[in-house]
Structure formats: structure tokens, C-alpha cells
């Protein structure tokens, strides 16, 4: 996807509809800075507002992602290209998210381990030991909801029984026992419980 081209196209369509960046932003309930970022190719419109944006600009999502009005002859080809491109970008960002998650997990675990070691092995008054161990846990406790959220949305989990691949609910991820990123969860398709692996590429 060519963000610069898409940006120019958005600006062109907006002007055709006689809207300022501010007016378009107000219709979408976002800031005019966001609109300016799209139009200069620095960012893509979020998928959650893409349909509404296309509606206002009187174009299709396919037009938007192609950065031009797609003719009927090329419509399916362009659609396929755009879908493939979006899947590729999602896979790339999922991989990046999971790498970040590992790093954040390690960073948050360091104070915890350090607190445990100092609290247990350095001789000091008991209340101080408790304070040190507990405060070492804080970064981990703060990080856990974020880490779980990444695990939930990045990639998919695969059922061992029926090989159904899906994005689980946050609460399932939260409650499930895990070994690394493999989680023991109930499959929404066949209803059986199994150790489900995290996968990036849906097959
Ligand atoms: Zn299943």
C-alpha cells in the first residue's frame, strides 16, 4: 500500500466534497491533526473509521486502499491485492507486538526477581524484606494486563482437536493456565479443552 498516494487521494476526495480537514475530522469525531497525518502519508486511517470515512468521501474502501478510483475491470484484482497487503501488515505488526511483549515481560520480571533475592537473602528487619519483595512485584502487576491484551489480539490460537483458529476473549486468556504463550483454553468451535499454541499466520 502506498501511503503517500492514499494520502493525496484522501485530500483530493475531501476537497471534492468541499470539506476542510477540520470539518472532515469533526464528522469522524477525531482531530484535524489525524486527518493531516493521513493526507501527508504519515499514517493510515484506523480500520474502525474507514467505512465511515469512505462513506463521507463517497468512495469504496477498495478505492481508498488503492489510492485511486478503481475501475470495474480492475476491481477484483485490486481488492485481492489490498486484502493480501492488509493481512501481511497485520502479520508483521503482530510479530512486532509479540517481540515487544517478550521484552516488556522480561523487563517487568527483573525488579521482581531482584526484590525476591534481596528480600530473602540480605539480612534485614522482616518488615523491610516484605516491603522490598512487594515493591518488586509492582512493575509486573502493572504490566500483566497489557501483556495479556497483546497475547489476546496478536495472531490466533489453534485448537488441538479440531484445528480451529481463533482470537479468544480477553477473559479466557486471563483465566487460562499457560506455558509460555501456549494456553489451556476451551475451543469455541468444538468445545473441547486443549493446550493451544499461538500462531501468527492463519491457514
Ligand atoms: Zn476445537
Amino acid at each position: 500500500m502506498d501511503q503517500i498516494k492514499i494520502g493525496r487521494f484522501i485530500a483530493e476526495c475531501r476537497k471534492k466534497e468541499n470539506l476542510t480537514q477540520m470539518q472532515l475530522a469533526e464528522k469522524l469525531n477525531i482531530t484535524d491533526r489525524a486527518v493531516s497525518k493521513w493526507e501527508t502519508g504519515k499514517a493510515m486511517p484506523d480500520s474502525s473509521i474507514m467505512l465511515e470515512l469512505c462513506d463521507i468521501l463517497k468512495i469504496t474502501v477498495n478505492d481508498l486502499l488503492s489510492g485511486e478510483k478503481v475501475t470495474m475491470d480492475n476491481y477484483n484484482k485490486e481488492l485481492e491485492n489490498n486484502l493480501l497487503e492488509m493481512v501481511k501488515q497485520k502479520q508483521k505488526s503482530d510479530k512486532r507486538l509479540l517481540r515487544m511483549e517478550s521484552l516488556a515481560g522480561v523487563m517487568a520480571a527483573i525488579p521482581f526477581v531482584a526484590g525476591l533475592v534481596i528480600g530473602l537473602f540480605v539480612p534485614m528487619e522482616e518488615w523491610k524484606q516484605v516491603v522490598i519483595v512487594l515493591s518488586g512485584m509492582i512493575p509486573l502487576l502493572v504490566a500483566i494486563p497489557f501483556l495479556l491484551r497483546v497475547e489476546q489480539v496478536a495472531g490466533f490460537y489453534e485448537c488441538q482437536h479440531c484445528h480451529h483458529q481463533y482470537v479468544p476473549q480477553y477473559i479466557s486468556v486471563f483465566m487460562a493456565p499457560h506455558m509460555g504463550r501456549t494456553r489451556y483454553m476451551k475451543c469455541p468451535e468444538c468445545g473441547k479443552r486443549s493446550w493451544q499454541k499461538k500462531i501468527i499466520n492463519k491457514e
Side-chain angles (χ1 to χ4, degrees), residues 161-180:
H161 296 288
C162 67
H163 300 285
H164 176 56
Q165 300 176 339
Y166 69 105
V167 175
Q169 299 209 305
Y170 184 77
I171 188 73
S172 319
V173 174
F174 185 80
M175 300 298 288
H178 69 105
M179 291 191 298

Side-chain angles (χ1 to χ4, degrees), residues 68-114:
E68 62 191 5
K69 274 272 184 195
V70 181
T71 61
M72 265 306 160
D73 292 344
N74 294 331
Y75 200 85
N76 281 330
K77 208 180 112 256
E78 281 293 325
L79 189 61
E80 270 166 26
N81 284 341
N82 286 329
L83 284 174
L84 272 178
E85 188 65 30
M86 285 181 91
V87 169
K88 259 191 252 160
Q89 297 215 342
K90 163 105 168 72
Q91 288 173 349
K92 235 169 57 189
S93 75
D94 280 355
K95 271 187 203 149
R96 205 170 41 221
L97 265 177
L98 288 173
R99 269 203 307 272
M100 261 172 47
E101 188 218 4
S102 302
L103 187 66
V106 170
M107 302 274 282
I110 291 172
F112 173 64
V113 174

Side-chain angles (χ1 to χ4, degrees), residues 114-154:
L116 219 53
V117 170
I118 295 169
L120 294 180
F121 298 110
V122 177
M124 65 178 88
E125 290 161 79
E126 206 168 286
W127 70 268
K128 282 187 187 162
Q129 291 182 326
V130 173
V131 168
I132 287 179
V133 171
L134 287 183
S135 45
M137 289 167 81
I138 292 170
L140 205 54
L141 290 178
V142 171
I144 280 172
F146 294 106
L147 301 183
L148 283 174
R149 179 83 183 144
V150 170
E151 291 231 351
Q152 183 207 353
V153 298

Side-chain angles (χ1 to χ4, degrees), residues 159-164 187-192:
C159 168
Q160 292 279 299
H161 296 288
C162 67
H163 300 285
H164 176 56
C187 166
E189 188 73 11
C190 69
K192 290 182 187 152

Side-chain angles (χ1 to χ4, degrees), residues 33-53:
R33 251 191 64 211
V35 175
S36 153
K37 273 188 176 172
W38 306 336
E39 294 190 353
T40 49
K42 286 189 190 113
M44 282 287 289
D46 193 77
S47 58
S48 60
I49 56 167
M50 222 177 246
L51 275 178
E52 211 183 334
L53 171 66

